Amino acid sequence: LFDNIPTVIIIPNILTMLRSILLFVLVAAGTAFSPLPKANARSSTALNMATEVKVGDKIPAVTLSEGQADYGRPEAVDIAELIAGKKVAIFAVPGAFTPGCSKSHLPSFITAQEELKAKGVELTICIATNDAFVMEAWGRTSGGADAGIRFLSDGNAELSKALGLLIESPVMVRTKRFSLIADDGVVTHYFPADKEASDTWAPNVLAKL
C-alpha cells in the first residue's frame, strides 16, 4: 500500500498523529486526577449560620423519619404536628450507639420517664442525624423504645439546621447535644451542652421543671 508513497511523507504524518494521541492522553489524565470541587464546604458553612434555638422559639414544622420493626419502611413524622398540644421533652445526641450517648444521655431519660410524666411531660423524643433504621435499632436494643421514648431520624439535618444546632464531623453532619422542653410547640426550657454534657441529662432537666 505504501510502496509508492515517499518515506518523508509517511514519517511526519505518523509523528503528527502520535503527538495528537499523546496530547489527548495527557489532557484526559489531568482531568481525571483534578481535585473535585468541595461542594459540601459551602453548604456546611451555610448550615451553621442558623441562630441557636432559645426559650420562646417555636419548634419548626420539619418532617423526620421513624424506623419500624422488622426493617419496615420508615414513616414520615412532622415534628410540629407530633408535639402540638403536648408538653414534651426532646433531646438530641451526636450519634446513636456512641459511648457518651449510650452510657449516659439516653439512659438518664429512660430512668426518668415516670418523674418526667409526674412533671406533666407527655412524650419524650430522641433525635439524631443517623438514619431511621439505626435509630430504630438503638431504641429497641437500649430499652428506650420500651420505656416509651420515640426515636426519630433527622437524616437530612433539617431540624438541626433550623434549630441552629449542627456540628461538623469527618464522617457526617451531626446534631449538637442538647435537651429541651416544649409546651404546645414552644420551647420553655433549653439545656445546651456548652459547659458540661451532664447539663443535658434528665436529672438536670427535672431539676428545672
Side-chain angles (χ1 to χ4, degrees), residues 5 35 37 53 93 105 108 110 112 140 168 171 195:
I5 301 177
V53 65
V93 297
H105 201 170
S108 76
I110 293 175
R140 171 168 39 83
E168 293 186 11
V171 180
K195 296 180 180 179

Side-chain angles (χ1 to χ4, degrees), residues 45-55 57-60 158-166 176 178 180 187 190:
T45 301
L47 290 176
N48 284 320
M49 294 296 288
T51 302
E52 187 169 348
V53 65
K54 63 184 181 302
V55 172
D57 287 348
K58 192 170 183 64
I59 301 297
E158 291 183 9
L159 180 61
S160 303
K161 173 186 175 182
L163 296 177
L165 293 169
L166 284 182
K176 288 183 181 180
F178 73 89
L180 62 80
V187 178
Y190 173 57

